[in-house]
Amino acid sequence: MSENFSVHVIGAGPAGLMAAERLANAGLRVVVHERMPSVARKLLMAGRGGLNLTHSEPLERFLPRYGAAQATATDWIATFTPDDLVAWVEGLGQPTFVGSSGRVFPRAMKASPLLRAWLARLEGLGVEVRTRSRWIGRRDGAWMFDTPEGERMERPDAVVLALGGASWPRLGSDGAWTGEVEALGATLSPFRAANAGFDVAWSPLFQERFAGRPLKGIALTHAGRTVRGEAMIAAYGIEGGAVYALSADLRRTLEREGRAELTLDLKPDLTPARLAERLARPRGKASVSNHLRKAAGLDATAVALLREAGPPPEAAQSMAERIKTLPLTLTGMQGLERAISSAGGVRLDALDERLMLKTAPGVFLAGEMLDWEAPTGGYLLQASFASGAAAARGVLDWLDSRGPAGQAVPPSSRSS
């Protein structure tokens, strides 16, 4: 690959920086543009609660997590697998470990040491990172950027767009780029919240006393699909990893019907018969709450949640059924400003197999700006990193097919 080729990457999140690293390793001159004052802000925020990089489960269980985008995500992840991601992180001097849930984390449990090491590597590869450099469109075939020094015009041989989705807008992912990308001929799907909480009409007393309390070791079911994990009571409703795993289906049901039913199993390790047997034990002078705590192992939050569904049944069998199949009606979903990620964006069918826009040769896309979604648990970051690697592979393949840089088609003829 000729070193005379230059590639500009627009967006300095995981996908953009991964594309930049792969391209620089191939010997290309790479410039990264980031409109915010610093890079990878969303990655740093994600690392505050423990940076979940990927998941250790077998690929036959891993890949279906991407739902309708599974085929595309499979191609990305073939380029940069979970094992590749772990090796890459450890190559940056950040040891990893696998948690009890199978999730993979850096031992530091934060993104900042990883990001510092990554930026040092990119600098060593000659990657130029320009912050406060905002892409504002095309003019006469050139790429225009608004910078503190004024407008700047660039004519790279190829461009990778990794502009992010529309969640956490205060960190820079606000989807404000849609007009410029549509001008390149891309087709977009509307942005929608993903991995967000859902609204529940709690009673005022329950809301006041239990907002912020966890529900541990539960199972949630919607539309025949069951997920085990944890959830959190919020003042507005319910959130957490187990909820996010069902969020795409729940969102679609809400969009179609205006409400969605979620079924909670508060004791998934106990059969209804075993639970009823325990609850049938004499409780003497113990209150219902204490009896549920001792006989069924329910904490105060779970007991209060049972009461939200109505007065506790007297019969042990009926109470066991409520514990195992507690209904919860969801009336809405939190918006993009509170969502961990977003669905929607540039449609996957607008790209060719190299992640190049069909309407704009030399323009490649990666990351959350594309129309895919996945639950939390390492799946989001894995696909973001992998899409950046796949886009870089596409760039290299496309440039290689064009011959030496001196024979390249002028930028003005590459896209409209």
Side-chain angles (χ1 to χ4, degrees):
M1 181 64 63
S2 171
E3 293 183 1
N4 291 325
F5 281 125
S6 69
V7 181
H8 285 224
V9 177
I10 305 177
L17 293 179
M18 180 56 70
E21 179 179 337
R22 290 292 182 99
L23 293 166
N25 268 324
L28 278 66
R29 292 179 289 115
V30 181
V31 177
V32 177
H33 300 265
E34 170 56 53
R35 72 182 184 90
M36 301 296 283
S38 59
V39 305
R41 290 189 167 199
K42 194 172 177 182
L43 179 67
L44 290 171
M45 177 63 78
R48 288 190 176 182
L51 184 63
N52 183 192
L53 294 162
T54 187
H55 203 287
S56 62
E57 68 186 357
L59 285 178
E60 59 265 26
R61 293 212 308 271
F62 191 106
L63 295 171
R65 309 288 186 179
Y66 297 96
Q70 179 179 343
T72 299
T74 298
D75 290 341
W76 299 347
I77 292 169
T79 303
F80 193 66
T81 67
D83 287 343
D84 293 334
L85 176 52
V86 169
W88 175 80
V89 170
E90 295 191 343
L92 286 169
Q94 302 300 309
T96 63
F97 72 96
V98 180
S100 58
S101 64
R103 300 180 182 190
V104 180
F105 301 88
R107 288 204 179 277
M109 292 296 287
K110 296 185 296 184
S112 50
L114 174 65
L115 182 59
R116 284 195 297 270
W118 195 6
L119 292 175
R121 173 183 286 179
L122 291 172
E123 183 179 8
L125 289 169
V127 174
E128 180 185 355
V129 178
R130 301 176 186 170
T131 56
R132 295 187 173 89
S133 180
R134 182 170 64 91
W135 175 48
I136 54 175
R138 302 288 302 279
R139 184 185 304 162
D140 298 326
W143 295 77
M144 305 302 300
F145 296 89
D146 180 35
T147 75
E149 293 76 34
E151 284 193 2
R152 187 164 180 169
M153 178 183 295
E154 301 287 351
R155 294 182 180 273
D157 295 289
V159 168
V160 176
L161 299 178
L163 296 164
S167 64
W168 286 358
R170 63 191 177 88
L171 300 179
S173 296
D174 59 6
W177 46 261
T178 55
E180 286 80 6
V181 174
E182 284 177 324
L184 295 174
T187 52
L188 279 70
S189 296
F191 282 115
R192 305 175 304 285
N195 291 299
F198 291 84
D199 303 333
V200 180
W202 301 128
S203 66
L205 180 61
F206 182 86
Q207 182 187 59
E208 179 182 351
R209 291 189 59 187
F210 294 100
R213 298 282 189 91
L215 293 168
K216 297 184 177 182
I218 63 171
L220 303 180
T221 300
H222 174 71
R225 183 175 166 222
T226 299
V227 173
R228 292 188 61 159
E230 298 185 2
M232 182 76 71
I233 302 298
Y236 63 79
I238 191 167
E239 60 188 21
V243 177
Y244 302 153
L246 295 169
S247 65
D249 291 337
L250 290 168
R251 184 188 65 236
R252 283 190 283 267
T253 300
L254 278 165
E255 291 170 347
R256 184 175 63 249
E257 303 176 12
R259 57 191 287 160
E261 296 299 325
L262 191 60
T263 302
L264 280 64
D265 182 348
L266 300 175
K267 300 300 294 184
D269 291 325
L270 292 176
T271 65
R274 180 62 178 144
L275 190 55
E277 179 185 331
R278 290 188 176 191
L279 292 168
R281 297 170 184 169
R283 65 182 176 94
K285 296 182 179 180
S287 66
V288 172
S289 296
N290 278 335
H291 183 59
L292 289 171
R293 177 176 60 84
K294 293 178 180 179
L298 299 178
D299 63 15
T301 305
V303 172
L305 197 57
L306 290 171
R307 293 183 183 276
E308 281 286 289
E314 291 290 335
Q317 185 64 45
S318 298
M319 177 55 81
E321 290 174 1
R322 179 176 293 187
I323 292 170
K324 297 289 292 182
T325 58
L326 181 66
L328 201 61
T329 299
L330 311 181
T331 58
M333 186 177 188
Q334 293 291 289
L336 285 164
E337 71 282 355
R338 295 183 62 91
I340 293 174
S341 60
S342 58
V346 177
R347 290 171 54 95
L348 296 175
D349 58 11
L351 309 177
D352 68 11
E353 68 280 358
R354 293 179 292 199
L355 295 188
M356 185 170 72
L357 268 179
K358 294 175 181 177
T359 56
V363 180
F364 300 78
L365 276 63
E368 274 198 73
M369 69 180 295
L370 298 174
D371 186 10
W372 62 277
E373 62 181 305
T376 57
Y379 310 106
L380 282 167
L381 266 181
Q382 175 68 55
S384 293
F385 282 119
S387 70
R393 179 188 62 187
V395 171
L396 295 172
D397 180 68
W398 183 74
L399 289 176
D400 188 58
S401 71
R402 288 159 53 81
Q407 299 176 17
V409 177
S412 60
S413 68
R414 293 184 200 148
S415 61
S416 57

